[in-house]
Amino acid sequence: MTVRKFLMCMLMAMTMLIVGCGGTDQPKNERAEKGEIVISVGKYMVGEGFDPTAGWGLWGPDPFHSALMMHDAKNQLVKDLATDVQRSADGLKYTFTIRSDAKFSDGQPLTAEDVAFTYETTKKAGSAVDLAVLESVRVLSPTQVEFTLSKPWSVFLETTASLGIVPKHVYKEGYATAPVGSGPWKVVSFQKEQQVIMEPNEYYYGEKPKLKKVTVLNLGDDAILAAAQSGQVDLVFTPPEFASASVPNMKLVLMDSIDSFCINMPQEPEHDENGMLIGNNVTSDPAIRTALNIGIDRRTIIENALAGFAKPTMNFAEALPWANNALQEKDNRVDEAVKILEAAGWKDTDGDGIREKNGMKAEFVINGRANDLQRYNTAVALAQDAKKLGINIIAKSTPWSEARKIARNIPTTWAFGDFTPQTIYNYFHSAQIGVNVINNPAIYRNPTVDAHIDRALAATSEEEALREFKAAQWDGTTGPKADIPYLWIATVQVPYLVNERLELGHLRVGERGQGMGILANLDEWQWK
């Protein structure tokens, strides 16, 4: 039985049980009367805590901290704490003037000292926030701070939009569990991996949230539908298999995202590197990568893995301004893919349905993230579809802590989605292979691509940077379009079951954030 069929059976059984217990009666919504909601938006929101210097806010919205820059409702980069930004002609110095009315949730003012402290602490921590080019940060006045870079870095402003400012006066070990930020919301209570209770920050300088209290629960996939049916939650991030369920007083809401699922395809044959296996003997063959890229049927995979809640893609999400849409082309070209494999020597000589070459089977493992069912289901559906090409893929559910470490040997399912084009540097530049564990897991090396990326990062104009970032993906001659370091599958749509009386305002095309992306406009939510 496939994972999808199993979940559908479980869904039907749970629905019958709940209906039989009278769970379809509409409960009195006391939360609405109080201006409160209870939601579940995936595990990340109630995971390790909320410390920006450790990476919190990189992969989803941060309701608790303000940053120097931010993305507006149209995902355009705009000022947040900053009221003015000056960049030197050589691109090495950035001077920020920050607003004087910003306060932390304890009522203390936010100053340039807090900005400098945040960046210095983050750089020292060496977290996922990339501040490698930050040479120094200097406080010029209570409202002015100057950053000096070691080299021009055109994406620095994007970096400042992803790093929330922490308070120097209370920051200490354990800050992640009791943050004191200057964002629109504050943490009232946090139980790790269980729940977080949020209330509006009365000192927030911007428009105040409309709700008075938000309780975020960590519900497992097996509890989501029951919680929705019984009225325990007002909004819940749901597996696609459950999204079509009929739930009283709730409606299905789809959020378009900038996240795309893809599989890294290690470009080098398997070998030992410092005691670790690196490379993959099957995916290192260009014929395998090319045949999969043009031969699989992404729409079928999306239907089987994601219940149709996604759009086929061969690159980053089209909504990102720096994505090069020239990589998109027709797939499910089975005959053409088969010819490519045959010409490269991949033939099924023993009749078992799996091609082989020089005694090696066209067979490899893909790790799906154990705590992200959608990614695992994508690997399963891809494996099923690839059989028509004579390629045998073995999908496994693997803990992320393990999968990320061995991804340069065993391909895994990734969710690439970020506003900053630095993503291209992180995952395609040869200098990033093995950096931060997860960078460039395809072991991709292309000197021309490296040169495009280097020029993009050194650019002193947005136009030049955008042009070079797009050329790094495909310049008409070489690049990922031809090399296929990643097998892209789908740009995902994120399904939620939402109380019919809860208005969500204008939803953005945002980060999936493993479910928490919808919180980007939490300030606008209200009961009607």
Side-chain angles (χ1 to χ4, degrees):
M1 180 181 290
T2 66
V3 171
R4 187 182 182 201
K5 287 182 178 178
F6 171 76
L7 286 171
M8 288 304 293
C9 290
M10 183 174 70
L11 164 63
M12 293 174 65
M14 290 172 65
T15 302
M16 291 174 65
L17 176 62
I18 293 168
V19 170
C21 294
T24 57
D25 292 335
Q26 182 175 5
K28 179 181 178 182
N29 199 333
E30 296 179 355
R31 294 191 296 272
E33 297 173 2
K34 296 179 180 179
E36 302 177 358
I37 60 172
V38 176
I39 65 176
S40 177
V41 288
K43 298 178 181 179
Y44 185 51
M45 185 63 193
V46 287
E48 296 298 317
F50 316 102
D51 185 351
T53 70
W56 166 253
L58 272 182
W59 298 286
D62 179 355
F64 312 120
H65 301 87
S66 303
L68 292 172
M69 303 291 288
M70 65 181 289
H71 292 95
D72 64 13
K74 296 182 179 179
N75 289 335
Q76 299 297 311
L77 192 64
V78 296
K79 301 179 187 68
D80 186 2
L81 286 171
T83 59
D84 182 68
V85 184
Q86 297 295 325
R87 181 174 64 178
S88 62
D90 59 8
L92 294 178
K93 287 187 184 297
Y94 288 78
T95 303
F96 287 82
T97 301
I98 63 174
R99 58 192 309 146
S100 58
D101 60 345
K103 292 182 178 181
F104 292 104
S105 59
D106 63 357
Q108 294 299 307
L110 185 155
T111 71
E113 287 283 353
D114 298 298
V115 175
F117 173 79
T118 298
Y119 278 77
E120 290 168 346
T121 302
T122 303
K123 184 174 175 64
K124 183 178 180 180
S127 70
V129 182
D130 189 354
L131 293 178
V133 300
L134 179 60
E135 192 170 88
S136 65
V137 54
R138 185 164 66 103
V139 175
L140 304 180
S141 76
T143 59
Q144 274 200 322
V145 61
E146 178 188 80
F147 296 91
T148 300
L149 310 185
S150 59
K151 61 181 179 180
W153 198 250
S154 65
V155 297
F156 182 68
L157 284 182
E158 287 283 358
T159 301
T160 66
S162 64
L163 181 54
I165 303 304
V166 301
K168 182 178 180 180
H169 65 282
V170 296
Y171 185 88
K172 59 183 179 181
E173 185 177 353
Y175 174 84
T177 62
V180 180
S182 57
W185 296 89
K186 64 181 180 181
V187 174
V188 176
S189 172
F190 175 57
Q191 294 172 275
K192 182 179 177 182
E193 297 182 353
Q194 295 184 50
Q195 73 170 25
V196 59
I197 298 176
M198 308 156 51
E199 291 180 359
N201 172 13
E202 60 267 40
Y203 298 105
Y204 181 54
Y205 50 83
E207 185 175 349
K208 301 297 190 293
K210 295 178 172 59
L211 294 171
K212 296 179 180 179
K213 180 180 178 181
V214 177
T215 300
V216 187
L217 304 178
N218 180 14
L219 297 178
D221 290 339
D222 57 345
I224 286 173
L225 188 64
Q229 288 272 13
S230 61
Q232 296 176 40
V233 291
D234 304 301
L235 178 147
V236 60
F237 166 55
T238 178
E241 291 81 4
F242 296 170
S244 59
S246 177
V247 180
N249 311 308
M250 300 195 85
K251 61 184 177 181
L252 175 65
V253 172
L254 293 179
M255 184 192 79
D256 288 327
S257 80
I258 60 170
D259 281 51
S260 295
F261 286 178
C262 65
I263 318 295
N264 66 298
M265 299 275 104
Q267 306 271 293
E268 298 178 358
E270 187 174 274
H271 61 280
D272 181 273
E273 185 176 293
N274 299 322
M276 288 186 64
L277 282 180
I278 302 296
N280 187 289
N281 290 331
V282 178
T283 65
S284 60
D285 191 318
I288 293 288
R289 302 195 303 270
T290 302
L292 283 169
N293 190 48
I294 68 170
I296 61 173
D297 185 346
R298 288 169 174 80
R299 290 193 181 277
T300 295
I301 293 170
I302 288 169
E303 287 296 328
N304 290 335
L306 305 171
F309 298 134
K311 302 173 183 177
T313 191
M314 290 186 175
N315 195 27
F316 291 99
E318 294 183 15
L320 293 166
W322 43 264
N324 188 341
N325 293 325
L327 276 76
Q328 310 294 346
E329 57 180 309
K330 190 179 185 303
D331 66 2
N332 202 27
R333 291 144 54 190
V334 178
D335 292 343
E336 187 177 342
V338 167
K339 288 179 181 178
I340 290 172
L341 291 168
E342 294 276 348
W346 291 99
K347 299 181 180 181
D348 180 12
T349 59
D350 57 10
D352 66 350
I354 306 173
R355 298 177 182 277
E356 62 267 353
K357 178 181 179 180
N358 300 328
M360 180 175 61
K361 291 285 188 181
E363 179 178 272
F364 60 96
V365 172
I366 291 179
N367 282 327
R369 187 166 177 166
N371 67 343
D372 192 337
L373 187 60
Q374 294 179 39
R375 290 203 228 177
Y376 171 66
N377 285 350
T378 298
V380 172
L382 169 63
Q384 182 64 33
D385 196 69
K387 289 180 180 179
K388 66 190 180 188
L389 304 177
I391 299 174
N392 188 41
I393 294 174
I394 303 164
K396 290 187 175 181
S397 177
T398 307
W400 181 235
S401 58
E402 177 184 345
R404 66 201 296 265
K405 293 178 182 178
I406 59 177
R408 284 184 288 163
N409 172 232
I410 300 177
T412 193
T413 311
W414 300 82
F416 284 169
D418 205 330
F419 293 114
T420 173
Q422 182 172 334
T423 298
I424 296 176
Y425 171 70
N426 292 344
Y427 295 109
F428 292 89
H429 199 290
S430 62
Q432 288 296 292
I433 296 173
V435 174
N436 194 30
V437 181
I438 64 175
N439 287 15
N440 198 344
I443 323 178
Y444 184 48
R445 306 177 195 272
N446 185 320
T448 302
V449 171
D450 284 354
H452 282 306
I453 296 173
D454 290 339
R455 287 194 290 269
L457 292 171
T460 55
S461 73
E462 290 184 18
E463 294 77 11
E464 181 186 2
L466 188 63
R467 183 173 62 252
E468 289 293 346
F469 276 126
K470 287 190 174 184
Q473 297 158 74
W474 180 245
D475 61 7
T477 302
T478 188
K481 181 174 182 177
D483 301 329
I484 323 294
Y486 301 94
L487 179 64
W488 297 85
I489 306 296
T491 299
V492 298
Q493 295 171 296
V494 191
Y496 299 86
L497 291 174
V498 183
N499 189 299
E500 292 175 343
R501 291 181 55 197
L502 183 61
E503 291 186 342
L504 302 182
H506 176 70
L507 288 184
R508 306 179 185 183
V509 180
E511 298 165 289
R512 175 174 176 263
Q514 294 189 55
M516 64 172 289
I518 199 168
L519 299 182
N521 74 326
L522 178 61
D523 309 353
E524 301 175 21
W525 296 11
Q526 61 182 328
W527 288 106
K528 60 180 179 180

